[in-house]
């Protein structure tokens, strides 16, 4: 048997690496990931300490609303930042979650924890109904259609009796487990935690665990890579074997579930909802927070959500000028940071000074002449066949 036939029939094996790849740095000041983990721990500590610093009703209410905004923006970041789907009617899913939980708890009489699975299922169904016919569209056409669906949900809620019509739903109960509810609060080590503080902790836990960690894990997985491929070039992603329609509708459904849970939390927090709470302006504000912070960036979206939700309150002393100042700050931020306050490709300043370490050269050896001649003969033999 000739050498060329042996070469042809032999099993293909990947060549062994010439050198060992060094382990990726994971320290706080040596990698982006390590720094973000340390920053996340510091944020959790701040959330835990805030009620001890200021547990007034106003502070807890604003902090809870800001955390719900963070969760809402994390859901839209999956749709816009990861999958690249321009959604101008995202507030519709927020309304679905709020109204489903409100109806089940006030009309049917379910406890809030039992309404949560029903809210999730309703948001999945709404995502399929809205996304299935519309996600075959792209860019501006998709934005216009989603804007229309957002207005359809609001107008429908405004004209149905079960949703309370223009007056909405009032008296939405808080979370209750057996004989204890958030309205009772609790006391630990002589420290009393009233309802507003207890609900704040609950929202903080949901946002940190579900919103931030869940979205980050999804972005790094196989599905997240498919979303980013669709976002960068849908035609190229489809040519590489990615089912772009399934990837897009999956992102749409996950974003809808995020928004529905946030809507249920907001309904519980305010104890009343109405169609005026779900206007197009709020969809624009949420999208603005995602773009301002940095699309596809978890810390950037959190910063953008906090800016959009807290800036008007911090500027309340300026009375009627606060929204003008808020708009000017947005314009200035976008002029100087067009890719976002913390883009997904951001590199920490002190990491830019680190030069990459070249791989060791001991493993690289020139190919012996005899081996090179044998390989050449094998290629020639294959050509003669």
């Amino acid at each position: 048997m000739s050498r060329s036939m042996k070469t042809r029939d032999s099993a293909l094996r990947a060549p062994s690496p010439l050198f060992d790849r060094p382990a990726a740095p994971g320290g706080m000041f040596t990698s982006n990931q390590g720094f973000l983990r340390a920053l996340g721990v510091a944020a959790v500590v701040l959330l835990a300490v805030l009620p001890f610093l200021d547990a007034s009703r106003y502070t807890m209410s604003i902090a809870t609303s800001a955390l719900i905004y963070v969760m809402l923006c994390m859901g839209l970041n999956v749709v816009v930042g990861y999958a690249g789907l321009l959604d101008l009617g995202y507030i519709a899913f927020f309304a679905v979650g709020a109204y489903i939980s409100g109806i089940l708890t006030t009309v049917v009489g379910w406890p809030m924890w039992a309404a949560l699975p029903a809210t999730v299922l309703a948001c999945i169904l709404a995502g399929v109904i809205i996304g299935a016919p519309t996600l075959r569209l792209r860019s501006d056409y998709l934005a216009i259609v989603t804007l229309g669906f957002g207005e359809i949900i609001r107008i429908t809620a405004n004209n149905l009796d079960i949703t309370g019509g223009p007056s909405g739903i009032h008296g939405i109960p808080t979370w209750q487990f057996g004989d204890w509810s958030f309205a009772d609060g609790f006391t630990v080590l002589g420290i009393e935690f009233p309802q507003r503080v207890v609900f704040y902790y609950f929202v903080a836990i949901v946002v940190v665990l579900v919103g931030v960690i869940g979205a980050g894990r999804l972005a790094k997985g196989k599905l997240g890579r498919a979303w980013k491929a669709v976002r960068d070039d849908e035609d190229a992603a489809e040519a590489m074997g990615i089912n772009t329609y399934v990837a897009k509708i999956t992102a749409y459904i996950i974003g809808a579930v995020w928004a529905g849970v946030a809507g249920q939390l907001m309904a519980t927090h305010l104890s009343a909802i109405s169609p005026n709470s779900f206007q197009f302006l709020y969809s624009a504000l949420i999208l603005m927070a995602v773009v301002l912070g940095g699309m596809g960036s978890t810390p950037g979206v959190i910063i953008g959500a906090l800016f959009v939700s807290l800036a008007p309150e911090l500027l309340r002393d300026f009375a009627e000028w606060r929204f003008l100042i808020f708009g000017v700050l947005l314009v200035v931020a976008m002029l100087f940071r067009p890719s976002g306050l913390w883009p997904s490709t951001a590199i920490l300043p002190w990491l830019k000074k680190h030069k990459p370490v070249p791989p060791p050269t001991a493993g690289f050896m020139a190919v012996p002449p005899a081996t090179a001649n044998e390989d050449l003969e094998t290629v020639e033999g294959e050509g003669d066949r």
Side-chain angles (χ1 to χ4, degrees):
M1 184 180 294
S2 63
R3 183 177 299 161
S4 60
M5 294 182 65
K6 290 181 179 179
T7 305
R8 183 189 63 183
D9 297 335
S10 61
L12 296 177
R13 293 180 300 176
S16 58
L18 298 177
F19 57 89
D20 295 330
R21 178 178 298 178
M28 182 173 64
F29 297 105
T30 57
S31 68
N32 276 354
Q33 187 176 7
F35 180 79
L36 291 179
R37 287 178 179 175
L39 190 62
V41 172
V44 172
V45 172
L46 179 61
L47 290 176
V49 171
L50 180 60
F52 296 97
L53 300 178
D54 186 359
S56 63
R57 187 175 299 275
Y58 173 77
T59 301
M60 291 294 99
S61 177
I62 296 302
T64 304
S65 299
L67 288 171
I68 294 175
Y69 258 93
V70 170
M71 188 171 185
L72 195 59
C73 292
M74 291 300 297
L76 185 60
N77 187 42
V78 173
V79 179
V80 178
Y82 294 155
L85 306 174
L86 184 56
D87 189 353
L88 295 181
Y90 188 69
I91 199 68
F93 302 115
F94 190 62
V96 169
Y99 271 106
I100 290 296
S101 61
I103 292 172
L104 292 178
T105 53
T106 57
V107 179
V108 183
W110 287 13
M112 188 59 70
W113 61 266
L116 180 58
T119 301
V120 173
L121 291 177
C123 291
I124 293 175
L125 183 61
V128 172
I129 293 175
I130 298 176
T134 61
L135 290 181
R136 299 188 185 277
L137 302 175
R138 301 186 185 182
S139 64
D140 300 338
Y141 301 99
L142 177 63
I144 293 172
V145 172
T146 53
L147 172 61
F149 273 111
E151 288 299 299
I152 288 172
I153 295 295
R154 184 184 65 83
I155 294 173
T156 302
N158 194 47
N159 289 276
L160 292 179
D161 293 333
I162 194 172
T163 59
S167 299
I169 301 176
H170 302 273
I172 300 175
T174 186
W175 290 73
Q176 182 175 354
F177 303 92
D179 297 333
W180 178 85
S181 69
F182 284 158
D184 301 330
F186 57 82
T187 303
V188 177
L189 300 177
I191 302 176
E192 181 182 357
F193 294 89
Q195 175 187 1
R196 60 182 182 275
V197 176
V198 174
F199 188 76
Y200 166 80
Y201 275 119
F202 175 75
V203 174
I205 292 173
V206 170
V207 170
V208 172
L209 294 183
V210 180
V212 178
I213 299 177
R217 291 294 182 181
L218 285 174
K220 296 178 181 179
K222 180 179 179 180
L223 184 59
R225 293 193 296 270
W227 289 340
K228 294 175 183 178
V230 173
R231 176 196 63 190
D232 295 338
D233 194 324
E234 185 173 347
D235 295 330
E238 190 170 1
M240 294 300 293
I242 297 176
N243 192 329
T244 57
Y245 180 74
V246 172
K248 290 192 293 184
I249 198 170
T250 304
Y252 207 68
I253 291 174
I254 292 176
V257 171
W258 249 270
V261 175
Q264 183 174 4
L265 293 175
M266 183 63 77
T268 306
H269 173 55
L270 300 178
S271 73
I273 53 175
S274 65
N276 291 332
S277 303
F278 309 104
Q279 297 178 355
F280 167 72
L281 174 63
Y282 297 100
S283 289
L285 283 175
I286 299 167
L287 181 61
M288 183 190 308
V290 174
V291 176
L292 177 65
M295 293 188 297
S297 170
T298 298
V301 171
I302 294 174
I303 294 173
L306 293 178
F307 180 85
V308 170
S309 59
L310 296 180
E313 296 297 330
L314 297 177
L315 298 173
R316 187 173 289 275
D317 294 338
F318 295 94
E320 66 272 10
W321 294 96
R322 63 174 178 149
F323 288 108
L324 175 61
I325 299 174
F326 176 60
V328 171
L329 290 176
L330 288 175
V331 173
V332 171
M334 293 307 298
L335 286 177
F336 288 95
R337 300 288 295 179
S339 57
L341 297 176
W342 192 316
S344 58
T345 57
I347 300 177
L348 299 174
W350 55 85
L351 293 181
K352 295 181 180 179
K353 300 179 181 180
H354 294 176
K355 296 183 179 180
V357 179
T361 57
F364 294 97
M365 300 178 62
V367 180
T371 306
N373 294 334
E374 290 178 0
D375 293 341
L376 182 59
E377 292 176 0
T378 301
V379 174
E380 291 177 353
E382 288 289 341
D384 294 339
R385 288 175 58 85

